[in-house]
Amino acid sequence: MIVYLVRRLGQSLLAIVAMAVLVFAGVYAIGNPVDVLINPEATQAEIVATTERLGLDKPLYQQFGIFLKNALQGDLGTSFVYGRPAVEIILERLPATMELAVCALFLSVMIGIPLGVWAGLRPDSIAGRTIMGGSILGFSLPNFWQGMLLILIFAVLLGWLPAGGRGETTEFLGMQVSFLTWDGLSHLILPAINLALFKMSLIIRLARANTREVCLQDYVKFARAKGLSSRRVVMVHILKNIMIPVVTIIGLELGSMVAFAIVTETVFAWPGMGKLLIDSINLLDRPVIVAYLMLTVLIIVTINLVVDVIYSLLDPRIRLSEMKG
C-alpha cells in the first residue's frame, strides 16, 4: 500500500508541474494587459513604467522562473487589478463556489442514485423509460439554456425563487454560508439544480447500467431464491456492488463541479470563483487567472488521488494491477 501511495503521489506532482508550464505559457503568451489596465491617453514613458512594474518586460522564461520560485513559497502572484495576492482574492470566493458545488453534488447523488436503481430494476416500466428520457434531456440541453429556463419558469413566471445573487449569509465554521438562512437558501436552490442536472443524469445512467449488470449476477439470484425481501436484496446486495464505480465518478465530478461552475455562476450572478475568473479574463488579470487554474488543478489532482486510494481500498485488485504495470 505504501508503494502504491508513493507512486500515486509522484504521478500527482508530475501532473501539477506539467499543468503549471501549460497554464503559465497559455495565459502569459496571449494579449497585453497593459493595454487594458492603463489609461488610453497614457504616454509611452507611463506604458514602459507600468510594464516594468508588472514584470512584463522580462522574457517569458524568466517570468515563469519567478512564478515557480514564488509558487513554491505559496505565492501565486499579485493581482494586476486589485493589487492584492491572487490567492487571497480567490479564497474569498471559494466558500461560495464550494457551497454551490457541494449542494449540487448532494442533489445529484440523493436523486440520481435512487432514480438510476429504479430504472435498472424496472427498465421496461413507464417510470423507468421516463427517467431515462429525462436523463437524456439533462445531457443534451446546454447548461446555460437550462439555467435561463429555470429563471424564466421559477423566478419570472411563478415568482417562487430569486433569479440571482447569493442572498443573506451567516457564519458557519468561520465561513459565510447561505444555506442556513431562508433568504440564502432560496437564492441557492436554482443554481444548485442547474449545476446538478448534468451530473444527476450521469449518475442515473451509471447507476442504471450497473444495476442491470448486478441483477444478473448469481449472488443476487441466490439472495432472491432464499426468499429475501426485495428491499434487502437492493440495499445489501445491489447498492453495495454498484457503489464502487459511482464513488469514483462522484469524486471526479466534485472536482469538475468546482472547476466548471463558471457558466452557472455567470447565469445566476453567483459571487464565486467562476464569476471572478470571467471578470479576470475580461481585464487580462493574468495572476488571478493563473492562480485560479492552478488551484483548480490542485483540487482535481487531490480529489483524484483520494478517490484512487478509496477505490484501491474497496477493490485491492486495482492496487495490485497498477503495481504490476
Side-chain angles (χ1 to χ4, degrees), residues 54-192:
L54 298 179
L56 301 176
D57 57 323
K58 299 180 177 61
L60 190 60
Y61 70 90
Q62 284 189 14
Q63 293 183 49
F64 180 70
I66 295 172
F67 165 77
L68 201 58
K69 179 182 176 183
N70 293 332
L72 292 175
Q73 300 172 0
D75 180 10
L76 293 179
T78 301
S79 167
F80 292 164
V81 176
Y82 303 102
R84 296 167 53 202
V87 173
E88 182 180 307
I89 298 171
I90 293 172
L91 291 181
E92 288 177 356
R93 305 289 191 96
L94 179 62
T97 297
M98 288 301 297
E99 180 182 27
L100 178 61
V102 170
C103 287
L105 188 65
F106 179 78
L107 287 176
S108 303
V109 172
M110 297 307 293
I111 298 175
I113 291 179
L115 291 182
V117 172
W118 182 278
L121 293 173
R122 297 170 178 79
D124 298 323
S125 66
I126 295 177
R129 293 178 184 275
T130 304
I131 291 170
M132 295 312 295
S135 71
I136 293 174
L137 286 179
F139 271 122
S140 307
L141 298 177
N143 191 244
F144 74 92
W145 192 85
Q146 294 172 357
M148 290 192 291
L149 198 62
L150 289 172
I151 291 174
L152 175 66
I153 295 174
F154 295 102
V156 178
L157 298 179
L158 299 177
W160 290 352
L161 296 167
R166 199 182 179 193
E168 183 184 355
T169 60
T170 186
E171 189 170 327
F172 177 70
L173 298 178
M175 297 185 299
Q176 291 296 316
V177 297
S178 57
F179 69 92
L180 291 179
T181 66
W182 171 246
D183 182 60
L185 185 61
S186 65
H187 283 77
L188 177 62
I189 292 174
L190 287 184

Side-chain angles (χ1 to χ4, degrees), residues 166-308:
R166 199 182 179 193
E168 183 184 355
T169 60
T170 186
E171 189 170 327
F172 177 70
L173 298 178
M175 297 185 299
Q176 291 296 316
V177 297
S178 57
F179 69 92
L180 291 179
T181 66
W182 171 246
D183 182 60
L185 185 61
S186 65
H187 283 77
L188 177 62
I189 292 174
L190 287 184
I193 292 174
N194 179 230
L195 188 59
L197 283 175
F198 183 88
K199 312 302 179 187
M200 191 187 301
S201 302
L202 181 65
I203 292 176
I204 286 174
R205 300 184 76 82
L206 185 65
R208 179 190 182 275
N210 282 284
T211 301
R212 295 289 299 153
E213 183 179 342
V214 170
C215 282
L216 300 176
Q217 299 298 317
D218 291 339
Y219 57 86
V220 175
K221 295 178 181 176
F222 183 69
R224 294 187 190 280
K226 284 198 307 182
L228 296 180
S229 65
S230 297
R231 180 186 179 88
R232 183 170 176 78
V233 171
V234 172
M235 298 300 292
V236 176
H237 296 283
I238 295 179
L239 266 183
K240 179 182 176 183
N241 287 285
I242 70 170
M243 285 309 291
I244 291 178
V246 172
V247 165
T248 305
I249 294 299
I250 289 172
L252 296 176
E253 291 305 314
L254 176 60
S256 69
M257 277 186 170
V258 174
F260 305 116
I262 298 171
V263 174
T264 297
E265 291 186 0
T266 303
V267 171
F268 290 92
W270 187 263
M273 296 193 304
K275 190 171 185 306
L276 173 67
L277 177 64
I278 295 296
D279 295 339
S280 300
I281 291 174
N282 290 331
L283 296 171
L284 282 181
D285 197 352
R286 289 175 173 175
V288 174
I289 300 171
V290 171
Y292 172 87
L293 294 176
M294 287 310 302
L295 287 175
T296 301
V297 168
L298 186 61
I299 290 172
I300 292 177
V301 168
T302 302
I303 290 175
N304 284 342
L305 179 61
V306 172
V307 168
D308 283 348

